[in-house]
Amino acid sequence: MGTVSGTDSARECRVLRVAGPLVELEYVGGTAMYDLVSLGEAGLPGEVVAVSGNVVTVQAYEHTGGLAPGHRARPLGRPLSVRLGPELLGGIYDGLLRPLSDSGDWLLPGAHEGHGAAHSWWFIPRAVGQQQVTEGTVVGEIRAAGPVPVRVLVPPGCHGRVSRLAAEGRYPGDAVLAVVDGTEIKMGTSWPIRRPRPARERVTADAPLSTGQRAIDLLFPVARGSTVAVPGGFGTGKTMLLQQIAKWCDADVIVYVGCGERGNEMADVITELSALEDPRTGGRLADRTVTIANTSNMPMMAREASVHTGATVAEYFRDMGLDVVVIADSTSRWAEALREFASRTGELPAEEGYPAGLASAIAAFYERAAAVTTLGGAQGSVTVIGAVSPPGGDMTEPVTAHTERFVRCLWALDRDLAYARHYPAISWSGSFSRDATVLADPAQAERRGHVAALLAEADRLADLVDLVGITALPDQERVSVLAGRLMREGVLQQSALSARDAYCAQEKTAALVDAVLAVVEECRGLVDSGIPAATLEEVDFAPVIRVREETGPHEAAAVAERRDAVLARLRELR
Amino acid sequence: MTAIGEIEYTDVRELRGPLVVIGGVAGVGWDEFVRIDCDVGESGERRHGLVLEVNRDLAVVQVLEDTSGMDPERVRVSFAGAPLRVPVGPGWLGRVCNGRGEPVDGGPPVFGPTSAAVGGSPINPVRREPPGDPVLTGVGVVDALTTLVRGQKLPVFSAAGLPHLELATQIAAQSTVRGEPFSVVFAGMGLTHADATFIRDALEERSAAGELVLLLNTADDPVIERILAPRLALTVAEYLAYEEGRHALVVMTDMTAYAEALREVSAARGEVPARRAYPGYLYSDLASLYERCGRIRGRPGSVTVLPVLTMPANDITHPVPDLTGYITEGQIVLWHEAHAQGVYPPVDALSSLSRLMRKGAGPGRTRADHLDVAAQLLAALARARQVRELADLVGRSALSATDTRYLDLADRFLHHFMAQRMDEARPLDEALERAWQVLLTLPRSQLAMLPTELIDAHHSPEAKEQDG
Ligand SMILES: Nc1ncnc2c1ncn2[C@@H]1O[C@H](COP(=O)(O)OP(=O)(O)OP(=O)(O)O)[C@@H](O)[C@H]1O
Ligand SMILES: [Mg+2]
């Protein structure tokens, strides 16, 4: 967005009131909703959020300490926008997309600088001079640091003849690379964060996003372009799960928005992503990632902007025909920023002090997810995955309740599972995927059905066991209890800290499920032929339980070997 | 403290709770520090405040010492033109002050080579060095199972009647960082006088050694001092850490009293309440304290934060423990059951977790076997708890031999491993050896998480006999 103390101003006006991030200004004309405002001598950025009578309400994006009534403010006559360009990949930004790497050890108000122009990049033209182009046409490609093919596009609303085109070569970030119908096209572009970037049309999201997490890919799969919420109390593993997805999912670009969470966690993400290799391209994972860090102690309203900033960055890459995942941890902190500001403006509160517009604000954010045909005719997608932190673990609270209505998938994290160190603590009874039916091939669907039924039956029996003890159950039901345990421990559990099992390919997941199902099938047969369930419960099933840890992510064949070993041992019981 | 401007304002429009509204002001900025001179009864008094809001020519000021005795006709207010700053430097070490930083030890006011704003500034996440290496507290169960890591924030969740104050004080009195420079800043909020005396006595030695700063706010001190005390503590600690290269441990107790003070001020301001009448910004406010922990690249020190809180009605879903849990990196939970058995410190090891433990313990940090021993001990404890539930159902006599050993393990864990004296600084090596002894209650077949050579090395003849 560049520095806001620029001279591109309209008229000046005066500050009337300051209460934390809430600033009121006198209305001087030419001030529109969501316009950017520069506040005080330091030029703190703010955004117009209401105009009423002759008072303009502004939300300030930095600490307003020292700002006083009578200080000058300058409406900048343009909406809050961010600069989008190849330099974003591998970078770390604040909620307004200002690079944090340019700041010092502490973040001081008004000390931020603009960015982008300082870099230079290799440009390869893809259009030709005098070509007739329309919005979304690829003008050329940029060789960025990593494997992501960054494309320079004809901007929305622009079409005509290419009257100038730069030759292949190295250019600074602000160089004009082409001119179409009088419009200069540069390496980077600028876009208002609250306006979704246009696409030709939305298409059905029916291609799976592989996350490498068995509990998800098997039971609650997500489509590219879909929406997911991950609710869970503190310590249930939201951040770990989202970080796993940032590392291992097969999207082209990840936009990781740390929204009102921990500084140490952001430091960790940054360090880890830089050290990890992308399993598909061999490049650094950091080079396909844009990190937006607005920790809980950074200015609150920038947290509000950060999710929109994240969505805008994602759409920028989507328009190049890429699959992008936006991760927001945690959307509850973003909603709290909405509540905080509403309470300062004296807006009439609805549920639990949240503004009445909470539901539509949540909906608007998740609506930015889509699988699309881009303006240029390519296929691209933005998948949105948001953590939700329900106060007191209460799933009926407003943010959780509204979010559940708007998402296609819900991965609910369960405190009891987390407490029992069953990670990821995704509840199989409390989660859903509305994408599952479109995504699965018949074999997968059948497998999922088996697993779901088996887990549900084991849960039902577990309640009984608590009451009457396992020995009171008929033998077939005891096998069902055993089956539940094998499925949970041998398939669903997957430690993010494991060297070999942090990521699991589809074929290994399928092999693990089939191994457990085959073992269970064999046990049922044995019980039918008179072997007591108690004998089966004493069998050492460790080979099928531990094989997930002991083999690499793709080693489906090794899983089958362990299965056969256990089956052979079982058959000896006959 | 902060220098004060010349202009005095006398137009007091309103007095409400801790708030004063002053009219006719010009050029006063949000968050400025305020000096208030008032005549209370016959004598003049000086109080202090912070600007909460400026609206046209009105300034809403929060008074640190409370408004009691203030007469709107006899108040003069002047503004500093800057936020509240305090002197920082090694001069704080060895001192005892109130929540506003005024000495209560009979010494002169604290001076420092420079001053810093008590609100602090957010650390740039990019400049953070992930936490690493341990702070050893000398409390065996904490060091062995929930290792506190330099730069971490790890709270103690307690409840009324449990010895959290004793634990917090013990940790403050005996923590070390293996020979590197170390300081403790202890902020007590909403304390009874008896508690304050207990803390002073218990920390006297470390204070006298110039290793400790003690800030004490008692329950009858002004509410707003309670809000200031942790900020002051962190500001002092940040200087000691980042400018002077020390490892600073900040102990803050009781955060529930702090949050109640915040609620009181919020109610006085007429703000829209969220859960249980706490302000909607409680999360961000707590985060503005806890997030000040950390390490910074290229600077040798660290700030580690240990907040202590009591869960009202032992309810972990209460906003204070809940929001704290959402910010901190794990928790140490105290436990009625162990306390009832007379065990100190009564830590519920199974609900406790130091999320950063791997960064602070293990080979090269503490001991090579540390993480394995801790994981095995926790797994065994979890199993022991299940066995006990089973025993409650079917009776102890119906248990298998192995299961009975698990019950023994739980018992030895409490009395041989966890229990220690309040004045005992237990070396980590001893804590881990005790952990081994507890584990060896079990037959070898139950110790799958431990490497065989290690078990051989620790297997005492007595245990071998039991196995054979
Ligand atoms: N998939 C996992 N594999 C291994 N350990 C895990 C996993 N998920 C969670 N954990 C453990 O649980 C701890 C808490 O996880 P995490 O930080 O992801 O929780 P969270 O839900 O994000 O909590 P908060 O709401 O407080 O941010 C981790 O430090 C780790 O010890
Ligand atoms: Mg988290």
Side-chain angles (χ1 to χ4, degrees):
Chain A
M1 59 167 275
T3 158
V4 294
S5 48
T7 50
D8 47 346
S9 66
R11 271 168 282 179
E12 277 192 354
C13 62
R14 299 274 157 193
V15 172
L16 297 173
R17 177 179 171 214
V18 187
L22 170 78
V23 179
E24 285 179 3
L25 312 174
E26 58 185 349
Y27 178 74
V28 289
T31 314
M33 280 293 277
Y34 300 119
D35 268 5
L36 195 59
V37 180
S38 157
L39 300 166
E41 288 308 313
L44 307 178
E47 190 182 8
V48 176
V49 294
V51 185
S52 162
N54 51 5
V55 176
V56 176
T57 306
V58 170
Q59 70 182 24
Y61 288 117
E62 282 183 14
H63 184 71
T64 52
L67 192 66
H71 282 181
R72 275 179 300 208
R74 219 172 24 242
L76 298 184
R78 55 186 161 91
L80 174 58
S81 305
V82 290
R83 204 197 112 90
L84 304 165
E87 71 279 0
L88 293 175
L89 292 165
I92 298 136
Y93 302 86
D94 75 358
L96 304 187
L97 215 61
R98 298 174 297 188
L100 285 168
S101 47
D102 292 357
S103 297
D105 290 353
W106 278 275
L107 299 173
L108 305 171
H112 291 284
E113 284 301 317
H115 69 94
H119 300 262
S120 71
W121 310 91
W122 193 261
F123 172 74
I124 307 158
R126 291 288 180 233
V128 290
Q130 300 309 312
Q131 183 184 337
Q132 187 73 34
V133 294
T134 59
E135 48 183 11
T137 306
V138 178
V139 174
E141 276 184 20
I142 289 166
R143 211 166 286 148
V148 180
V150 178
R151 302 187 175 103
V152 179
L153 308 178
V154 176
C158 171
H159 45 86
R161 226 171 260 292
V162 179
S163 58
R164 232 179 75 204
L165 184 64
E168 175 163 350
R170 184 165 286 282
Y171 296 90
D174 56 357
V176 176
L177 299 173
V179 176
V180 171
D181 187 34
T183 304
E184 293 184 341
I185 299 176
K186 299 182 180 178
M187 203 161 292
T189 176
S190 172
W191 194 264
I193 64 166
R194 295 184 198 277
R195 192 188 320 150
R197 285 172 64 87
R200 189 180 294 168
E201 62 173 343
R202 284 183 175 248
V203 298
T204 314
D206 56 6
L209 178 78
S210 163
T211 66
Q213 307 302 301
R214 283 187 294 274
I216 293 169
D217 294 341
L218 174 66
L219 294 176
F220 308 107
V222 51
R224 291 163 192 259
S226 188
T227 49
V228 189
V230 187
F234 68 78
T236 50
K238 298 180 292 298
T239 303
M240 293 287 263
L241 183 63
L242 296 184
Q243 289 184 355
Q244 285 304 94
I245 290 168
K247 287 176 194 163
W248 308 120
C249 83
D250 61 352
D252 299 306
V253 174
I254 308 290
V255 182
Y256 193 101
V257 187
C259 174
E261 290 287 315
R262 302 172 181 84
N264 282 338
E265 276 174 2
M266 296 314 300
D268 237 24
V269 173
I270 296 162
T271 326
E272 279 189 23
L273 288 180
S274 311
L276 282 172
E277 212 177 70
D278 187 335
R280 295 177 309 144
T281 61
R284 288 189 323 152
L285 273 181
D287 290 331
R288 70 159 191 181
T289 311
V290 181
T291 309
I292 298 176
N294 222 96
T295 58
S296 56
N297 57 340
M298 285 163 72
M300 174 130 55
M301 297 327 293
R303 208 191 281 173
E304 194 277 316
S306 68
V307 302
H308 303 291
T309 302
T312 305
V313 171
E315 288 165 355
Y316 164 68
F317 287 106
R318 173 202 72 188
D319 290 346
M320 300 172 192
L322 299 173
D323 290 313
V324 188
V325 171
V326 181
I327 289 172
D329 185 11
S330 157
T331 59
S332 294
R333 306 305 165 214
W334 161 71
E336 275 170 21
L338 293 177
R339 172 169 70 185
E340 168 66 5
F341 196 78
S343 87
R344 299 229 184 218
T345 56
E347 190 180 317
L348 211 58
E351 305 150 279
E352 298 202 10
Y354 285 101
L358 175 69
S360 47
I362 295 173
F365 168 57
Y366 282 103
E367 261 317 285
R368 293 186 77 166
V372 301
T373 302
T374 66
L375 293 178
Q379 298 303 307
S381 69
V382 172
T383 309
V384 173
I385 308 179
V388 183
S389 316
D394 170 10
M395 305 287 279
T396 66
E397 63 90 34
V399 180
T400 317
H402 288 308
T403 304
E404 279 184 13
R405 291 166 41 215
F406 300 127
V407 293
R408 292 193 54 84
C409 304
L410 188 79
W411 304 331
L413 302 187
D414 182 271
R415 192 183 285 284
D416 291 336
L417 288 177
Y419 181 84
R421 311 280 200 261
H422 172 115
Y423 297 123
I426 297 173
S427 158
W428 42 91
S429 56
S431 304
F432 62 78
S433 163
R434 288 159 66 192
D435 292 335
T437 43
V438 277
L439 293 181
D441 61 46
Q444 272 175 313
E446 196 187 321
R447 217 174 264 124
R448 175 175 313 124
H450 275 309
V451 174
L454 183 153
L455 290 168
E457 174 71 356
D459 281 353
R460 184 182 70 82
L461 294 171
D463 293 341
L464 264 177
V465 171
D466 282 345
L467 282 177
V468 299
I470 183 96
T471 46
L473 295 187
D475 274 7
Q476 279 298 359
E477 299 205 327
R478 287 175 73 161
V479 173
S480 298
V481 173
L482 173 69
R485 179 169 77 86
L486 295 179
M487 196 55 80
R488 290 192 304 271
E489 294 180 11
V491 178
L492 297 184
Q493 287 186 11
Q494 187 176 5
S495 170
L497 307 169
S498 165
R500 319 178 78 166
D501 196 34
Y503 160 78
C504 183
Q506 293 283 7
E507 65 265 25
K508 183 177 165 191
T509 300
L512 286 168
V513 173
D514 292 348
V516 168
L517 291 177
V519 166
V520 170
E521 211 36 58
E522 184 65 28
C523 289
R524 293 213 182 284
L526 290 170
V527 165
D528 278 341
S529 58
I531 312 282
T535 310
L536 296 175
E537 284 159 6
E538 292 303 314
V539 171
D540 181 10
F541 291 102
V544 284
I545 291 177
R546 280 214 224 106
V547 63
R548 62 182 170 81
E549 280 279 345
E550 290 167 359
T551 53
H554 296 277
E555 294 181 52
V559 176
E561 274 169 34
R562 308 291 175 95
R563 172 198 66 198
D564 293 341
V566 171
L567 287 178
R569 207 173 302 163
L570 283 170
R571 284 179 192 130
E572 285 166 16
L573 295 174
R574 282 191 193 261
Chain B
M1 289 210 193
T2 313
I4 298 289
E6 290 305 308
I7 309 171
E8 288 198 331
Y9 296 93
T10 54
D11 181 8
V12 173
R13 302 275 176 90
E14 195 178 337
L15 286 165
R16 175 165 31 95
L19 307 182
V20 190
V21 180
I22 300 133
V25 302
V28 172
W30 183 68
D31 202 29
E32 276 188 33
F33 184 59
V34 185
R35 189 181 71 198
I36 304 156
D37 287 300
C38 47
D39 300 328
V40 179
E42 294 306 303
S43 56
E45 216 179 283
R46 173 158 293 176
R47 299 188 184 181
H48 307 88
L50 303 170
V51 175
L52 286 186
E53 178 173 341
V54 278
N55 191 355
R56 280 84 176 173
D57 71 337
L58 293 181
V60 181
V61 172
Q62 167 172 309
V63 185
L64 299 183
E65 295 88 345
D66 205 352
T67 49
S68 69
M70 278 170 64
D71 171 350
E73 305 231 300
R74 297 196 293 164
V75 170
R76 297 180 310 282
V77 178
S78 30
F79 296 89
L84 173 58
R85 299 179 72 85
V86 291
V88 286
W92 284 93
L93 292 165
R95 300 303 304 271
V96 185
C97 296
N98 67 14
R100 256 179 306 137
E102 289 169 349
V104 295
D105 54 5
V110 179
F111 287 106
T114 176
S115 71
V118 291
S121 295
I123 299 178
N124 183 349
V126 175
R127 303 293 309 153
R128 277 184 187 268
E129 177 81 39
D133 300 315
V135 173
L136 292 176
T137 65
V139 177
V141 61
V142 172
D143 291 343
L145 299 184
T146 52
T147 313
L148 179 60
V149 182
R150 297 175 203 172
Q152 184 179 19
K153 41 195 174 300
L154 186 65
V156 174
F157 284 11
S158 184
L162 293 178
H164 47 271
L165 202 62
E166 287 80 352
L167 182 62
T169 316
Q170 182 174 14
I171 290 175
Q174 60 187 35
S175 290
T176 56
V177 290
R178 291 253 172 88
E180 290 187 51
F182 185 66
S183 311
V184 178
V185 184
F186 191 107
M189 292 156 284
L191 301 168
T192 64
H193 284 271
D195 286 345
T197 311
F198 166 78
I199 293 170
R200 276 183 85 152
D201 290 348
L203 297 180
E204 191 166 10
E205 201 175 315
R206 192 154 219 176
S207 179
E211 294 174 349
L212 182 111
V213 185
L214 190 52
L215 303 176
L216 293 174
N217 163 273
T218 52
D220 54 357
D221 282 338
V223 168
I224 297 200
E225 273 187 23
R226 218 156 291 160
I227 297 178
L228 199 56
R231 294 185 162 76
L232 184 60
L234 288 159
T235 308
V236 170
E238 280 173 348
Y239 187 86
L240 294 173
Y242 302 130
E243 304 302 330
E244 299 204 317
R246 295 167 210 253
H247 298 286
L249 172 66
V250 182
V251 179
M252 310 193 287
T253 179
D254 172 342
M255 293 308 294
T256 310
Y258 168 84
E260 278 159 3
L262 207 63
R263 177 166 67 178
E264 210 174 312
V265 173
S266 168
R269 296 182 60 188
E271 290 172 341
V272 180
R275 293 220 152 194
R276 309 244 186 133
Y278 286 95
Y281 50 79
L282 183 59
Y283 171 87
S284 295
D285 186 276
L286 290 173
S288 75
L289 303 177
Y290 301 152
E291 272 293 318
R292 287 172 79 172
C293 72
R295 305 200 298 174
I296 297 179
R297 287 210 202 136
R299 297 183 190 244
S302 64
V303 174
T304 307
V305 176
L306 187 98
V308 178
L309 56 91
T310 45
M311 301 183 277
N314 208 9
D315 175 12
I316 199 167
T317 70
H318 181 279
V320 178
D322 185 56
L323 295 179
T324 297
Y326 272 122
I327 304 164
T328 52
E329 289 142 346
Q331 65 281 335
I332 297 170
V333 183
L334 299 192
W335 197 25
H336 275 288
E337 203 174 306
H339 183 60
Q341 295 190 38
V343 174
Y344 173 88
V347 172
D348 181 359
L350 286 178
S351 334
S352 302
L353 172 74
S354 166
R355 294 196 199 172
L356 305 182
M357 180 154 167
R358 298 179 157 265
K359 297 177 189 288
R365 302 192 177 96
T366 51
R367 227 170 75 168
D369 61 346
H370 188 162
L371 292 172
D372 289 337
V373 169
Q376 179 71 75
L377 192 52
L378 287 171
L381 276 181
R383 171 88 189 268
R385 207 166 274 187
Q386 283 173 354
V387 170
R388 206 186 53 186
E389 281 166 18
L390 186 66
D392 290 345
L393 205 70
V394 301
R396 195 174 169 131
S397 53
L399 295 180
S400 71
T402 310
D403 281 354
T404 318
R405 295 254 195 122
Y406 273 99
L407 292 186
D408 296 341
L409 171 123
D411 215 51
R412 283 190 89 184
F413 175 83
L414 279 189
H415 298 286
H416 185 67
F417 172 77
M418 193 154 78
Q420 86 181 62
R421 290 194 323 278
M422 267 174 224
D423 61 353
E424 174 187 354
R426 184 174 286 176
L428 178 66
D429 268 327
E430 184 190 333
L432 290 177
E433 282 319 305
R434 283 173 183 260
W436 270 104
Q437 288 154 15
V438 171
L439 281 171
L440 292 174
T441 313
L442 298 176
R444 289 180 77 120
S445 62
Q446 301 296 308
L447 303 177
M449 296 165 103
L450 296 173
T452 331
E453 322 81 72
L454 277 179
I455 303 186
D456 286 339
H458 281 89
H459 230 215
S460 67
E462 172 217 6
K464 272 182 188 138
E465 225 165 80
Q466 279 180 20
D467 257 15

